[in-house]
Amino acid sequence: MNNFRRDSFILYAALVVAVLLSAFVSAETAGVHAADLPEPDRKAIFHPVYARNGMVVSEERYATEAGLQVLREGGNAVDAAVTVGFVLAVTFPRAGNLGGGGFMLVRLAETGEVVAIDYREKAPLAVTADTFLDSNGNVDTEKSRHSVLSAGVPGTVAGLAFALEKYGTIPLEKAIRPALLLAKKGFPVSENLARSLEDARGRMENEPESMRIFFKEGGEAYAPGETLVQKDLAETLKLISRHGPEAFYEGEIAAKISRFMSERGGLITERDLKEYRTALREPVRGTYRGYEIYSMPPPSSGGVHLVEMLNILEGFPLGEYGHNTARTINLMAEAMKFAYADRSEHLGDPDFKEVPVKELTSKEYAAKLGERMSPGRVTPSVRIKPGEMPREEGPDTTHFSVIDSKGNMVSNTYTLNFDYGSKITVPGTGILLNNEMDDFSMKPGEPNAYGLVGGSANAPEPRKRMLSSMTPTIVLKDGEPFLVTGSPGGSLIITTVLQIITNALDFGMNISEATNAPRVHHQWLPDKLRIEKGISRDTIRILTERGYTIETGNTMGSAQSIMKKGEFIYGASDPRRPGGLAEGY
């Protein structure tokens, strides 16, 4: 027994030394000594990566490293973000993309202004209300999710180029160069990439071009550590690098896309591509516990409903109730129900429908909803209807966050919708097509792939942008950087971002603790409260007794976040998806 205790003590001591050494090495790599850290973070259970000058956090290490190198060489946060966006198109093809679209939020240090760049995909001109219905008038999900019809007009290339030209400092050629080299020379396949490709094989096997690129001859899978080369994608990146976004929307690439669409019975034409434009929008703004919240406006539903839920929760002392207690989860779930009910009715493309953003994000509206809530009270979803307003991704999206030494901040979320989109690659380009058309409400009241119900505000129309849940978010304190965050996860995105914010502001967590903490989710319909493992059994029992139908399932989201406190910058890449990297200097 004495030997056992001695050996156990030695093992425990070795683990402690290893953890401390790891923290010290990370600090030295970041150019910061552990002793310099503020006391609360030095003692934290979940220790974030930290730095003084700048930081990049993404779901893929090559992308993070490329973006950080741009910062080291004097580029700003937008330069780094655009570089990361192009690299992810090569190294994280399940969601990083040239054939999809997304949203970018930018905080400009010089003026303090926050701007929203909308490069969401658009519906082609040929789409009609019946395009995705079968002969009986029912939604045909094969068309809307797994065919060339499912692709919206891509916005990524236009959006990244727009951001760089307007707010960056380096030429497009330099921003694309790391991605071009990785596509041309190849990179080692990670376990995460190998696994995701194997999961996608079933659908990819129907697409010879995708199989040729992402699998070896004969359909053999790439093993972790083997090199994946994407020559066609490298050539596409070279054309964009030399000729700008026009190469994608009007030149040789556009011709290949439209020709392929014509051959396969798709909708996108050369005119659709030529007429695509990025939109610069005013972000949604709210306040919470004295902090300023900036997030994405419509056609994202994320910012509106993030602020709506925060406004509701601000009326309750969550910090006193405790993190993930039954009382706190109860209140969060009820706030989530009200927000997602409103989403089904009021949200859509603001270029086609006037969205009542001001009303939905007002403190007055939140107070009225809060009157219907109290700790312990559960309202069945069937009794919650969208609020009366005056008429004035897929889970495999990806997010990255950047901050530079001057305080410029970028929060970017972009997507193909499903893993590898529709799994269809345009021959000769290396470009995977999105299947974002499924994010429209093909039939009022019919749920999409994520169970989200919508109405006529999000019905498909030519040139219309489909509604999204992507929620890139920036939080300021007294006008200065505090938090930049976002996540993939389809309908789970908004509630993931909500909990990152409340974990930090209500429960005083550092960014790693806020990221690692178990999450909950309710989206009104279906009337189920989803929880991650890690919530106590007693809490689950209390919630069940109060009337919730509890569903314990897969992890939720993959937040990529940066927090600034004093002179230090802290980063965390969500462990729910392996392979991400937070790195600073």
Side-chain angles (χ1 to χ4, degrees):
M1 180 62 71
N2 288 338
N3 288 340
F4 174 77
R5 286 178 177 170
R6 183 196 64 197
D7 293 344
S8 297
F9 177 79
I10 292 172
L11 177 60
Y12 176 78
L15 287 170
V16 170
V17 170
V19 170
L20 291 174
L21 181 60
S22 174
F24 178 79
V25 171
S26 297
E28 290 300 305
T29 301
V32 181
H33 193 281
D36 294 331
L37 279 176
E39 188 71 16
D41 288 293
R42 193 163 71 244
K43 290 184 175 180
I45 296 172
F46 297 108
H47 197 70
V49 174
Y50 47 88
R52 287 184 185 270
N53 299 307
M55 184 166 288
V56 180
V57 186
S58 82
E59 289 198 90
E60 202 284 318
R61 62 179 295 261
Y62 289 108
T64 292
E65 290 170 350
L68 189 65
Q69 185 60 31
V70 171
L71 293 183
R72 288 181 183 275
E73 293 174 357
N76 69 16
V78 174
D79 299 327
V82 172
T83 301
V84 170
F86 279 113
V87 170
L88 286 171
V90 179
T91 61
F92 199 73
R94 63 188 289 185
N97 67 84
L98 299 184
F103 303 125
M104 180 184 289
L105 213 63
V106 181
R107 189 258 180 181
L108 303 168
E110 187 173 346
T111 62
E113 181 185 10
V114 179
V115 297
I117 300 172
D118 174 1
Y119 60 97
R120 180 69 160 153
E121 301 91 332
K122 285 188 174 185
L125 288 166
V127 75
T128 70
D130 299 329
T131 296
F132 300 100
L133 303 182
D134 62 21
S135 57
N136 297 317
N138 297 315
V139 178
D140 185 338
T141 56
E142 282 297 313
K143 289 181 180 179
S144 67
R145 302 175 189 175
H146 306 297
S147 75
V148 290
L149 293 170
S150 69
V153 182
T156 294
V157 174
L160 295 180
F162 175 89
L164 189 67
E165 181 178 0
K166 194 165 183 66
Y167 303 113
T169 66
I170 65 175
L172 183 62
E173 183 179 7
K174 184 173 182 179
I176 290 177
R177 181 170 174 76
L180 175 56
L181 292 175
L182 285 162
K184 183 178 180 180
K185 297 183 178 180
F187 62 95
V189 171
S190 66
E191 290 188 15
N192 189 33
L193 177 55
R195 191 182 307 114
S196 69
L197 282 169
E198 194 57 45
D199 290 343
R201 178 194 288 272
R203 287 284 179 180
M204 276 194 180
E205 284 180 336
N206 299 321
E207 297 297 329
E209 188 70 4
S210 296
M211 289 298 294
R212 181 181 69 82
I213 293 169
F214 295 110
F215 291 85
K216 293 187 285 190
E217 191 172 348
E220 183 183 353
Y222 281 96
E226 293 185 324
T227 301
L228 175 63
V229 174
Q230 299 171 77
K231 292 182 179 179
D232 289 344
L233 185 56
E235 186 60 31
T236 292
L237 288 165
K238 184 190 297 183
L239 289 171
I240 298 169
S241 175
R242 289 179 177 175
H243 306 295
E246 290 77 13
F248 187 97
Y249 293 95
E250 299 182 40
E252 183 179 335
I253 302 166
K256 289 180 179 179
I257 294 171
S258 61
R259 183 165 59 247
F260 177 65
M261 284 286 168
S262 178
E263 292 170 355
R264 291 280 292 266
L267 301 176
I268 298 174
T269 65
E270 287 190 74
R271 180 183 173 187
D272 287 311
L273 290 161
K274 185 175 182 178
E275 292 183 356
Y276 182 87
R277 295 292 184 273
T278 298
L280 189 63
R281 303 192 187 277
E282 183 179 346
V284 171
R285 182 186 180 277
T287 60
Y288 185 70
R289 316 262 191 226
Y291 290 77
E292 303 157 63
I293 313 296
Y294 291 88
S295 196
M296 198 67 202
S300 169
S301 63
V304 169
H305 298 307
L306 173 66
V307 171
E308 180 181 356
M309 289 186 286
L310 287 171
N311 284 343
I312 295 170
L313 294 172
E314 193 172 34
F316 301 91
L318 299 187
E320 293 179 15
Y321 296 161
H323 179 255
N324 277 348
T325 61
R327 180 180 287 186
T328 294
I329 293 174
N330 175 195
L331 290 169
M332 285 192 138
E334 296 305 293
M336 292 171 185
K337 286 183 193 177
F338 286 119
Y340 278 83
D342 283 339
R343 183 190 191 279
S344 72
E345 177 71 19
H346 300 298
L347 271 291
D349 185 342
D351 295 336
F352 284 74
K353 176 191 184 297
E354 192 159 349
V355 181
V357 173
K358 182 179 179 181
E359 291 78 10
L360 286 168
T361 59
S362 72
K363 300 287 187 183
E364 293 76 18
Y365 180 60
K368 290 180 181 178
L369 296 178
E371 290 172 1
R372 299 170 61 183
M373 294 168 49
S374 62
R377 181 176 179 179
V378 178
T379 304
S381 291
V382 293
R383 289 171 52 195
I384 295 177
K385 302 300 180 185
E388 291 299 322
M389 292 291 121
R391 294 296 175 184
E392 303 237 334
E393 225 124 316
D396 292 300
T397 300
T398 190
H399 179 87
F400 52 90
S401 296
V402 184
I403 187 168
D404 65 26
S405 60
K406 293 182 179 179
N408 296 296
M409 308 165 79
V410 173
S411 181
N412 189 95
T413 314
Y414 73 159
T415 186
L416 288 166
N417 199 19
F418 288 6
D419 252 4
Y420 302 95
S422 62
K423 318 295 189 293
I424 300 170
T425 303
V426 178
T429 68
I431 297 171
L432 281 159
L433 292 173
N434 69 80
N435 58 350
E436 292 291 356
M437 296 299 286
D438 187 64
D439 275 0
F440 281 118
S441 298
M442 303 304 180
K443 186 177 180 181
E446 284 284 317
N448 69 3
Y450 309 112
L452 290 172
V453 176
S456 59
N458 189 39
E461 295 181 54
R463 294 193 178 95
K464 194 177 191 178
R465 301 180 201 259
M466 58 290 293
L467 188 60
S468 170
S469 294
M470 292 185 285
T471 315
T473 298
I474 287 172
V475 180
L476 305 179
K477 177 63 173 174
D478 299 325
E480 295 301 316
F482 174 72
L483 177 67
V484 52
T485 189
S487 175
S491 61
L492 305 168
I493 293 174
I494 311 173
T495 53
T496 294
V497 173
L498 172 73
Q499 288 164 93
I500 293 290
I501 293 172
T502 56
N503 286 348
L505 302 189
D506 287 294
F507 305 111
M509 296 183 185
N510 72 35
I511 195 58
S512 287
E513 292 169 321
T515 300
N516 293 337
R519 294 173 186 148
V520 301
H521 173 78
H522 204 304
Q523 63 182 52
W524 179 52
L525 294 175
D527 195 354
K528 293 180 180 180
L529 175 59
R530 284 187 56 181
I531 63 173
E532 288 185 330
K533 293 178 180 178
I535 307 294
S536 79
R537 292 182 180 180
D538 285 342
T539 299
I540 295 173
R541 175 182 56 78
I542 294 169
L543 291 167
T544 302
E545 289 172 353
R546 288 180 179 173
Y548 286 108
T549 299
I550 305 292
E551 183 179 89
T552 304
N554 296 329
T555 58
M556 303 181 203
S558 179
Q560 311 295 315
S561 309
I562 299 171
M563 180 184 288
K564 191 172 190 300
K565 297 175 74 174
E567 61 184 296
F568 291 94
I569 303 167
Y570 303 88
S573 180
D574 204 319
R576 288 167 177 79
R577 281 190 185 177
L581 179 63
E583 191 168 1
Y585 78 106

